[in-house]
Amino acid sequence: MKGIDPLSLDMLAKEGIVALRRAKRRNMERITLACGGMSMNSVDDLTPECLGHAGLVYESVLGEEKYTFIEECDNPQSVTLLIKGPNKFTLTQIKDAIHDGLRAVKNAIEDKGVVPGAGAFEVAASAAIMKYRETVKGRARLGVQAFAEALLVIPKTLAVNSGFDAQESMVKLLEEHSNTGEAVGLDLETGEACLPGDNGILDNFRVKRQLINSCTVVASNLLLVDEIMRAGLSSLKG
């Protein structure tokens, strides 16, 4: 790995220039994105156009390691999040939470929209499917009803995990939705119906879309397996 020799580091320090002896290739690419400028292999090719900008550069010791912080960049295209925690398990939990949050924001930007959370989507979808059930004839109505009831598993789980009675919570949500026609969700603090949008409780559109697609495919596959098993048993009996 190439670097700056100690003599050159000393000369730069005397001129008030902070220099890093070595930097990983990945970090070099990130510094370029954060500060601007270009990576150069020789001082002979340096020009003002090659330089980036950072308002503050300093070195700090965290634990047993030294870190160089580059802050107050004009137009950073790369940033680093510093996570602190008492143990590795906590750091992993925080890292996963940050990753999930960033992915949720990315999905919302790409979808250009969100849907109400707190089980509001499932309650509204279940009510709409139950209304559609009235137009279906024959045994297919039972399948439509089963699909609508299956969607309510999510708000029921939210109620149970929050210490509330699932049946009582579902009655409140369905009544509130029927009376107001709005997408109402479950308030995990009070167990009452609420408007998730007003409380900032939102879900990604693509997550709900994938949920509906996946559960439909899984249910269809399970029914197919059940039919194959029945056919096998019938052939054995014959």
Side-chain angles (χ1 to χ4, degrees):
M1 182 185 295
K2 296 182 179 180
I4 305 175
D5 61 274
L7 181 59
S8 299
L9 285 174
D10 184 60
M11 295 174 63
L12 290 170
K14 289 180 179 179
E15 298 297 329
I17 301 175
V18 178
L20 304 179
R21 184 176 183 183
R22 288 189 177 91
K24 295 179 180 179
R25 181 182 181 89
R26 188 177 181 184
N27 291 337
M28 285 293 296
E29 294 173 352
R30 290 177 174 176
I31 292 174
T32 303
L33 290 172
C35 303
M38 295 180 290
S39 299
M40 308 299 296
N41 293 324
S42 173
V43 294
D44 297 332
D45 301 328
L46 286 179
T47 61
E49 290 75 18
C50 299
L51 302 178
H53 176 270
L56 180 63
V57 180
Y58 62 95
E59 188 178 78
S60 179
V61 178
L62 300 176
E64 300 178 355
E65 301 289 338
K66 290 183 178 180
Y67 295 88
T68 301
F69 290 84
I70 303 175
E71 301 178 355
E72 300 178 12
C73 301
D74 289 339
N75 185 28
Q77 300 298 317
S78 176
V79 296
T80 300
L81 298 178
L82 177 61
I83 302 174
K84 294 182 180 180
N87 49 59
K88 186 176 180 179
F89 175 76
T90 303
L91 292 176
T92 302
Q93 294 280 64
I94 297 174
K95 181 179 178 181
D96 291 342
I98 293 175
H99 182 267
D100 292 343
L102 293 176
R103 291 290 299 182
V105 173
K106 174 181 177 293
N107 291 339
I109 293 175
E110 293 180 350
D111 291 336
K112 298 181 180 180
V114 292
V115 296
F121 167 78
E122 287 76 12
V123 172
S126 177
I129 294 174
M130 290 297 289
K131 185 177 181 180
Y132 168 75
R133 183 179 69 99
E134 303 301 327
T135 63
V136 180
K137 298 180 180 180
R139 291 191 302 173
R141 295 187 61 174
L142 299 177
V144 175
Q145 180 178 346
F147 191 91
E149 293 176 351
L151 287 174
L152 298 179
V153 169
I154 292 180
K156 286 180 181 179
T157 303
L158 289 175
V160 172
N161 290 343
S162 303
F164 301 108
D165 182 80
Q167 296 297 332
E168 183 179 353
S169 299
M170 291 312 307
V171 170
K172 293 179 181 178
L173 292 179
L174 293 174
E175 286 183 352
E176 186 70 18
H177 176 74
S178 177
N179 295 333
T180 63
E182 296 181 344
V184 294
L186 180 67
D187 190 329
L188 302 186
E189 295 182 357
T190 63
E192 301 293 332
C194 69
L195 294 176
D198 296 343
N199 297 327
I201 307 173
L202 304 170
D203 282 331
N204 287 130
F205 166 75
R206 63 177 58 189
V207 173
K208 298 301 180 183
R209 180 183 60 191
Q210 184 64 29
L211 178 147
I212 294 176
N213 291 336
S214 298
C215 68
T216 305
V217 171
V218 171
S220 300
N221 289 338
L222 289 176
L223 292 174
L224 179 62
V225 171
D226 189 49
E227 290 297 327
I228 293 175
M229 290 176 63
R230 285 185 179 181
L233 291 174
S234 299
S235 60
L236 290 176
K237 290 180 180 179

